[in-house]
Amino acid sequence: HHGYSTISLGYAGLYECVKYMTGHSHTDGGKAEEFGLEVMKKLNAACNKWKSEEDIDCITCIGIGRC
């Protein structure tokens, strides 16, 4: 707590999530990219909520080892 504990929330499966939900890659632009950005915004919002409620730092990660 108080900045000494950190939770890493990764989105390594972002491609798979977007592809499954939209039928397109998040790198194709358009609606698939917009959907991917919305997923990432939700992850960041969850981290901010947990940080304010639990006093534990939380970060989102691009993938394993890339925080």
Side-chain angles (χ1 to χ4, degrees):
H1 292 289
H2 307 295
Y4 291 104
S5 298
T6 303
I7 297 172
S8 298
L9 180 63
Y11 45 93
L14 182 64
Y15 169 80
E16 292 82 0
C17 172
V18 173
K19 184 73 171 181
Y20 179 80
M21 297 299 290
T22 68
H24 300 280
S25 170
H26 66 291
T27 61
D28 289 346
K31 294 207 180 283
E33 182 177 349
E34 290 175 27
F35 180 80
L37 289 171
E38 286 301 314
V39 169
M40 292 170 35
K41 288 176 187 177
K42 295 284 186 183
L43 290 173
N44 285 328
C47 280
N48 290 335
K49 181 178 182 234
W50 295 331
K51 183 175 182 176
S52 68
E53 290 176 354
E54 305 295 332
D55 195 26
I56 296 175
D57 287 336
C58 182
I59 59 171
T60 54
C61 300
I62 293 171
I64 297 171
R66 301 178 81 188
C67 298

